[in-house]
Each structure stands twice: as structure tokens, then as C-alpha cells.
Amino acid sequence: LRLYFPVALKRMLNFNVPPVKNCTGEPVWKVLIYDRFGQDIISPLLSVKELRDMGITLHLLLHSDRDAIPDVPAVYFVMPTEENIDRMCQDLRNQLYESYYLNFISAISRSKLEDIANAAIGANAVTQVAKVFDQYLNFITLEDDMFVLCNQNKELVSYRAINRPDITDTEMETIMDTIVDSLFCFFVTLGAIPIIRCSRGTAAEMVAVKLDKKLRENLRDARNSLFTGDTLGAGQFSFQRPLLVLVDRNIDLATPLHHTWTYQALVHDVLDFHLNRVNLEESTGTESTPAGARPKKKNKKSYDLTASDKFWQKHRGSPFPEVAESVQQELESYRAQEDEVKRLKSIMGIEGEDEGAISMLSDNTAKLTSAVSSLPELLEKKRLIDLHTNVATAVLEHIKVKLL
């Protein structure tokens, strides 16, 4: 997933042109405008630094109060909802930006596209609308081999929503269409036509039928097919077709009730963990609050557990006791390296000019230079140790509460 999805995002942020590798020139500075759906899609994959490297000077929510920046292009990444289209039309009328690159997470309907065109004509901004793209990115990639369909309004497509006794046919159709749209977007991004298998007589079969119909309708028009031509994974579906197995949760009710004692599962179960970010309340320690005084507010900290975190990638599937031991080993390794740097610095302060001192100074200069060059890596190691010490401690506190 991470082979295709970040590439699709970076291409979009580069005005829908593939980024040039090893380009030493300055990027085109631009503003990124997204809604909550777009924010959830981007945040697990691209950090603020990566966005800045791609020329994103500001990233703002569509419905926030935004000032005009008339000399900068704006890249929009939003769902094609009525509310979002109205706000984009308002931006055109207010002449907020130099040019507009409109990217829709799912396919926009013709009627809504006409609304944008009418607003552009009315605002005399037709030439400023540079590009309009359907990105088909309506899913959230959390790991190399895992994605989820949505984060916003996820309760509307939940197991409970589908199995409500009072659900209407219209509501069920809406839920099925939402699921199908996300799965369709996933396979468009992957550039692959799946072989679909499902259990009969369940919601899974409804999704399978709708998805099959949508795929066939797209393939019927060879000239405009999303699986041929200049697409990210075009041409791969011919001989390498993935198997999509759709299973209704009613078949396996026991699994969600299991409480796995691995690091990632515990973090997900007992902590506030969403979109690869864990939010913790910082402990106030043992200091007592004076009588009559307001209790101190607990500070909140957020940590990103991403693919760049080597400790997380290595130990997320490990039993929790092993994780605690690994954190201690990493800490001891860091302290050993830190002590070595301190020792070398101390040696560099040798007094006297005898041959032995000069020889020792010369030998250790190279070692200190090497240690200093590895300092950024050492600092990153310390950051990860502190991160996982805090997360593991928070998990342990929850375990203690459950066992008492």
C-alpha cells in the first residue's frame, strides 16, 4: 500500500505531475486546503516536514476562517459534498488564491462540477481554476499491509449500523454505497481488478454485487477506464489479480472480544489510539495539591507510531513483557553510547604536550568526530526510547487497574 498511496498523494501535491527525483531546485510554494476526510487520509502518511519539503507552506481546513493569499496557488483535497462545494465556490468568488487545483477524494458528480463552473464564471476566475481531478483516494492507509475505509462518521458504516433492527432500505443502500466507493477507490489506486469472493445471504454479498457492477461499468468504456492508460498501477491487473474476500462479521463474533497481549493490540485496546497517533495524559507525579486549591490539569501528549519508528515496526507484534525488556535494552545501549561521547570529550581536554598525550589526542579525535556525526541518530534513538517508555508505562498502568 505504501508503495502506491504516498506516490499518489505526492503526485497530487505536485499539481498532479510526478515529482522529479533528485531535484535540487526550490519547490513551488503552495497552500493545502483539506476537509476532515482529507486530513485523516494525509496525516498517517506525510509528516509536516514532508509537506514542507513539497512546498506546502500552510495546510488549512476548508471550513476554517482563512485569509486571502492572492499570490500563492492552492491545492484542494476534499470530499465532493454539497457543503464543501459551496465553500469552494465562495473561495472563488472571494479571490482567495492565485490559482486553484481542485482534487476530490471520490468522484464528483456532473451537477456539482457545473456548480463550480458557474461560480468560476460568475467570479471571472475560469482561468484561475488550473486543474480538476478525481483522485479516488477514499480510504486511509495505516500500515504497509492495512487500510481502513473511514475515520470520520465511522459509526455510520459500523457493524451496529448495518445490524440495527430499525434500519431502512434507503439507509442500508447508503451504507453499502459508502463501503463500495472506498473499496473501488482502493483498487483504482492499486491498479488491479480483484477476484471477488463472499459469503452468501449477508451484507458482504450486497457489497460484492455492487462492487462487481461498478468495476464492470468502468471497464466497459475502454477509453476512459481507470485501470488502463496513465494511472499509477495501470496494466497490472491483466495477470496479477488479487483475491478480495468479503466476510460478514456475524460469521466470527468471538474475535473482537479477544484481548491480545501484544504491544500494538494493547495500545489500540486501552489507549486513545487513532490514525497511528496515541494520545496520553501526562502523570502529575506524587506532588500533593494544597487544600482548597484547584487540582492541576494533566498535560496531554501525542505520539506518532509510524513506519519510520524502527522500534514500533520491530516490536509492535511482540508480547508486552518482551517490549518492556527491549525498551530497557535500548536505554542501556543509548547510555553506553552517551557515556562514550562524554569520555571522548573529557580526553580531548588533555593537558600537556608530551608525545603520549598528543598520540592519544590524535587517536581519539577521529572517534569523537565519528561520534558527533552520529549525534542526530543518537538523539532520534533517545526520542524513541522516551516515546515507548511513556507509552509502555501508560499501558502497564491500565493493566494494573484491570488486574486489581
Side-chain angles (χ1 to χ4, degrees):
L1 301 185
R2 286 180 178 270
L3 176 65
Y4 294 100
F5 200 53
V7 173
L9 279 179
K10 289 178 180 178
R11 180 172 179 163
M12 179 195 77
L13 296 175
N14 198 45
F15 305 124
N16 287 290
V17 176
V20 179
K21 292 183 179 179
N22 301 323
C23 181
T24 56
E26 286 289 325
V28 177
W29 301 111
K30 58 192 87 78
V31 177
L32 173 62
I33 311 297
Y34 47 42
D35 60 0
R36 291 292 183 187
F37 292 92
Q39 184 182 37
D40 289 345
I41 292 169
I42 292 174
S43 61
L45 289 171
L46 298 177
S47 65
V48 173
K49 181 184 181 302
E50 289 174 306
L51 290 175
R52 192 180 298 114
D53 291 341
M54 297 195 65
I56 304 297
T57 55
L58 284 173
H59 40 95
L60 305 166
L61 286 168
L62 176 65
H63 293 283
S64 62
D65 294 328
R66 291 176 279 117
D67 296 325
I69 313 177
D71 57 344
V72 173
V75 176
Y76 286 73
F77 185 52
V78 298
M79 287 290 284
T81 63
E82 197 72 44
E83 185 182 17
N84 287 348
I85 299 301
D86 290 343
R87 186 57 186 263
M88 293 168 73
C89 292
Q90 182 182 328
D91 289 354
L92 290 170
R93 288 190 288 268
N94 292 339
Q95 296 286 309
L96 289 188
Y97 307 108
E98 177 189 62
S99 54
Y100 302 83
Y101 294 80
L102 310 182
N103 299 277
F104 297 100
I105 297 170
S106 289
I108 186 173
S109 65
R110 183 176 180 84
S111 61
K112 290 175 181 174
L113 200 57
E114 289 173 352
D115 291 341
I116 295 175
N118 290 331
I121 293 170
N124 196 26
V126 174
T127 56
Q128 292 175 267
V129 180
K131 291 182 179 179
V132 181
F133 272 84
D134 291 329
Q135 291 294 340
Y136 294 97
L137 295 175
N138 189 19
F139 59 97
I140 302 170
T141 304
L142 296 179
E143 298 175 14
D144 291 346
D145 53 2
M146 187 181 80
F147 71 96
V148 295
L149 300 188
C150 65
N151 183 58
Q152 299 293 322
N153 304 326
K154 58 186 176 184
E155 67 280 353
L156 299 181
V157 292
S158 64
Y159 173 81
R160 178 182 177 276
I162 295 175
N163 290 276
R164 275 179 23 233
D166 58 341
I167 189 170
T168 64
D169 291 343
T170 304
E171 290 173 331
M172 180 62 83
E173 285 291 322
T174 301
I175 292 172
M176 295 298 107
D177 288 341
T178 302
I179 295 172
V180 168
D181 181 68
S182 291
L183 290 174
F184 181 77
C185 288
F186 171 75
F187 285 107
V188 169
T189 302
L190 199 60
I193 302 293
I195 298 170
I196 305 174
R197 295 291 181 266
C198 66
S199 51
R200 293 190 177 278
T202 64
E205 185 180 15
M206 295 175 66
V207 172
V209 170
K210 282 181 171 289
L211 179 60
D212 178 74
K213 181 181 178 183
K214 192 162 186 172
L215 289 168
R216 290 179 184 277
E217 287 176 351
N218 183 262
L219 289 170
R220 194 170 290 122
D221 185 358
R223 291 178 301 175
N224 297 314
S225 175
L226 296 166
F227 298 92
T228 57
D230 186 24
T231 57
L232 214 54
Q236 294 190 20
F237 67 91
S238 299
F239 301 104
Q240 300 294 329
R241 294 182 63 187
L243 176 65
L244 173 64
V245 179
L246 296 170
V247 182
D248 196 288
R249 175 52 71 188
N250 284 330
I251 293 175
D252 181 22
L253 289 172
T255 300
L257 302 177
H258 290 175
H259 198 92
T260 309
W261 280 67
T262 57
Y263 190 28
Q264 184 179 34
L266 283 171
V267 169
H268 185 275
D269 286 348
V270 303
L271 301 181
D272 181 11
F273 184 52
H274 297 286
L275 301 180
N276 293 345
R277 174 171 292 180
V278 60
N279 300 302
L280 299 179
E281 284 191 350
E282 201 174 31
S283 173
T284 54
T286 57
E287 296 179 6
S288 59
T289 305
R294 291 183 179 178
K296 292 182 180 179
K297 287 185 178 179
K298 290 185 177 181
N299 296 324
K300 289 189 176 182
K301 283 193 173 184
S302 296
Y303 301 107
D304 291 321
L305 303 177
T306 62
S308 61
D309 185 336
K310 293 180 181 178
F311 186 92
W312 176 251
Q313 291 299 309
K314 183 177 180 181
H315 295 289
R316 64 187 182 185
S318 302
F320 186 68
E322 291 183 14
V323 173
E325 292 178 7
S326 298
V327 170
Q328 183 62 32
Q329 290 172 2
E330 291 287 331
L331 182 58
E332 290 173 1
S333 172
Y334 166 78
R335 284 175 176 168
Q337 290 177 278
E338 188 180 42
D339 289 342
E340 178 66 11
V341 173
K342 289 178 180 178
R343 188 183 68 82
L344 291 171
K345 285 182 177 179
S346 176
I347 291 173
M348 293 296 285
I350 292 175
E351 295 182 0
E353 297 183 0
D354 57 66
E355 291 184 5
I358 292 172
S359 175
M360 190 179 295
L361 185 63
S362 177
D363 291 340
N364 286 288
T365 298
K367 293 181 181 179
L368 183 59
T369 302
S370 175
V372 170
S373 65
S374 65
L375 193 57
E377 183 181 345
L378 196 61
L379 292 173
E380 175 64 12
K381 189 173 185 179
K382 178 64 165 62
R383 185 188 71 83
L384 292 178
I385 291 170
D386 290 341
L387 185 161
H388 289 286
T389 299
N390 292 336
V391 172
T393 301
V395 171
L396 184 60
E397 291 299 322
H398 280 275
I399 293 174
K400 287 179 179 177
V401 171
K402 297 290 184 182
L403 294 178
L404 291 176

